[in-house]
Amino acid sequence: MYHLKCIECGAEYPKDELIYTCSKCDGLLDVIYDYSSIKLDMEKLKSECPSVWKYAKLLPVDREPVTIKEGGTPLYKCERLAEKIGIKALYVKHEGMNPTGSFKDRGMTVGVSKALELGMKTVACASTGNTSAALAIYGAKAGIPVVVLLPEGKVALGKVAQALMHGAKVLSIRGNFDDALALVRTLCSQEKIYLLNSINPFRLEGQKTIGFEIADQLGFKVPDRVVLPVGNAGNITAIHKGFREFKKLGVTDAIPKMTGIQAEGSCPIVKAIKSGAENIKPEKNPETVATAIRIGNPVNARKALLAIRKSEGTAESVSDEEIIEAQKDLARLEGIGVEPASATSVAGLKKLVDSGVVRRDETVVCITTGHLLKDPEEVIKICEPPIVVDAKIEAIREAIFGN
Ligand code: AN7
């Protein structure tokens, strides 16, 4: 039992109303459950492996889900990285290990299932890449057409490859992500096409399972802090909701400090948190090596600012150099291969520990949102190229030992 409610004016809507924002005040919508009717079986929760659909009682889908086995991603204890950052207990939840290589699968398994439930025949999104890859794949699994709008020339190669191979109609927009999102919202309001950007409250419900899984994997305890990259600001909101729900249902007894990291060239949320502003000021020309979070006007800003403030978390920005260093640290100290946007979590944590905002005795979970192979071109730019040698043992010895 659930319905939709506006976070601004409190207007309520039935669960099957085709609506993305409040028709009275245009505020963002949240999915509200009747928690008194939800009984979680703790014995079952403790014995089953984590996955998105393990927590189906807290998900808004009333049909067989469209699934390719998403979630259940590893939570790694990272001692070498912790030592480098100077913190006692650090875990990394590697969302790049989802079937399409990013956390977006959690939202899309729920969102595409919802599209079918509502009788929608086509789905669409704007994307910096990962959302389009996930939508293409879940649309293929569901057997429905997919339309994706991408900012031309600013989407990592692996993500475009996925969207193309899985059969989406891929449009490259001469504009940035924010332009593409405005356009796809217009398209979906004009046609019977279901919008699956994170303005869609049902999609975010799938992503809250990251919060459930972190608690689950730590023995139904929560860390002091969760650090993650922020772009359109849906994920930080969703994960906070997951933690809030587990606490409300008595599964856990605390909520971690939600800590969002953005790239310096694209950080309206960080600016709003630091200045105490109620609203963000959109960044007109966002720029960063982390193309996944090259977003100047995050649609979920109002929700994310609340999540950060209510949980007594914070927000910080990092430079492209700091992002690349963190990406190499994850790869070389821990064997965790991530795309640049994902490395912002670790880069941000390091900055916050260095500046004394995060205490060294905190237990912290960093979320790495997408896999290294999403963006091979960036890797080629920042790493030494392979050494080309003759097919002779002397040449190989010379290249390795220098003699
Ligand atoms: C790797 O794919 O917005 O703050 O269109 O791909 O919930 O937006 C991607 C976002 C972090 C930011 N890390 O999450 C898209 C898109 C990676 C991402 C984010 C994205 P939100």
Side-chain angles (χ1 to χ4, degrees):
M1 278 193 284
Y2 55 91
H3 65 279
L4 296 167
K5 185 173 178 184
C6 173
I7 68 159
E8 304 291 349
C9 76
E12 303 198 39
Y13 302 90
K15 63 181 181 180
D16 51 3
E17 185 147 334
L18 189 57
I19 187 173
Y20 306 104
T21 57
C22 179
S23 44
K24 300 200 170 79
C25 74
D26 203 34
L28 296 168
L29 300 174
D30 193 9
V31 182
I32 307 291
Y33 299 80
D34 173 10
Y35 292 104
S36 65
S37 71
I38 296 172
K39 300 273 174 283
L40 296 178
D41 178 344
M42 275 315 287
E43 285 315 305
K44 217 169 144 230
L45 269 191
K46 282 179 180 161
S47 61
E48 259 178 50
C49 289
S51 74
V52 168
W53 293 102
K54 173 177 176 179
Y55 316 101
K57 282 185 180 168
L58 286 161
L59 294 174
V61 173
D62 307 317
R63 54 160 285 137
E64 266 304 295
V66 178
T67 173
I68 48 171
K69 299 193 186 295
E70 46 292 312
T73 55
L75 182 73
Y76 298 116
K77 180 120 203 260
C78 293
E79 288 175 2
R80 294 179 73 202
L81 190 57
E83 195 183 328
K84 170 146 190 199
I85 291 175
I87 192 167
K88 214 169 85 189
L90 173 63
Y91 295 83
V92 169
K93 177 121 176 108
H94 192 11
E95 285 294 297
M97 300 298 272
N98 272 295
T100 85
S102 87
F103 70 97
K104 305 286 182 183
D105 297 2
R106 295 179 186 268
M108 287 309 176
T109 183
V110 170
V112 172
S113 300
K114 199 72 195 173
L116 296 187
E117 195 180 300
L118 292 170
M120 302 300 281
K121 304 274 188 279
T122 303
V123 288
C125 70
S127 180
T128 58
N130 281 323
T131 299
S132 68
L135 186 58
I137 291 165
Y138 283 87
K141 182 72 182 175
I144 54 173
V146 173
V147 178
V148 304
L149 276 61
L150 308 178
E152 187 190 21
K154 293 291 182 180
V155 177
L157 193 63
K159 305 172 189 180
V160 183
Q162 288 176 298
L164 292 171
M165 177 50 92
H166 290 278
K169 180 163 281 281
V170 179
L171 307 183
S172 260
I173 306 297
R174 294 190 191 96
N176 63 25
F177 168 81
D178 304 297
D179 302 322
L181 182 56
L183 287 163
V184 80
R185 287 179 73 172
T186 304
L187 177 73
C188 290
S189 70
Q190 291 171 346
E191 301 292 328
K192 199 171 181 247
I193 299 179
Y194 196 53
L195 177 64
L196 275 167
N197 279 100
S198 56
I199 191 128
N200 182 318
F202 294 118
R203 206 196 93 186
L204 287 181
E205 291 300 293
Q207 289 171 212
K208 77 187 177 187
T209 58
I210 296 176
F212 297 159
E213 286 191 8
I214 289 172
D216 192 330
Q217 289 169 311
L218 292 174
F220 297 98
K221 297 210 166 44
V222 299
D224 297 311
R225 187 181 297 274
V226 170
V227 187
L228 70 154
V230 169
N232 231 359
N235 211 26
I236 193 165
T237 310
I239 297 170
H240 181 237
K241 182 171 182 184
F243 285 122
R244 271 173 37 230
E245 288 186 332
F246 259 17
K247 181 158 180 259
K248 194 174 298 192
L249 293 166
V251 178
T252 53
D253 60 6
I255 291 172
K257 295 181 168 68
M258 301 304 299
T259 301
I261 313 297
Q262 295 192 292
E264 265 173 11
S266 179
C267 63
I269 301 267
V270 176
K271 285 179 182 159
I273 288 291
K274 291 197 173 179
S275 69
E278 256 189 56
N279 275 314
I280 58 147
K281 233 173 82 208
E283 169 65 56
K284 282 214 177 61
N285 295 303
E287 208 44 85
T288 167
V289 66
T291 52
I293 53 170
R294 187 174 170 273
I295 296 172
N297 188 14
V299 285
N300 288 298
R302 290 278 294 167
K303 283 183 172 177
L305 292 174
L306 263 179
I308 292 169
R309 287 177 173 141
K310 270 197 171 166
S311 68
E312 293 171 19
T314 189
E316 187 54 275
S317 61
V318 290
S319 67
D320 282 358
E321 293 69 35
E322 289 168 319
I323 292 171
I324 289 167
E325 186 188 340
Q327 188 188 21
K328 286 185 174 167
D329 285 344
L330 276 159
R332 294 174 185 188
L333 297 174
E334 298 292 347
I336 300 174
V338 306
E339 64 168 292
S342 305
T344 58
S345 56
V346 168
L349 175 64
K350 183 165 187 299
K351 192 164 169 185
L352 290 167
V353 169
D354 287 347
S355 63
V357 173
V358 173
R359 293 200 327 265
R360 293 180 190 276
D361 63 352
E362 286 187 26
T363 298
V364 178
V365 172
C366 281
I367 300 172
T368 54
T369 41
H371 200 277
L372 172 76
L373 295 174
K374 290 281 191 171
D375 194 349
E377 287 174 308
E378 183 259 355
V379 176
I380 299 301
K381 275 186 205 145
I382 65 166
C383 292
E384 288 293 316
I387 306 161
V388 180
V389 294
D390 288 336
K392 292 194 179 114
I393 192 67
E394 296 77 23
I396 287 166
R397 293 188 62 86
E398 160 85 27
I400 298 171
F401 306 115
N403 63 22

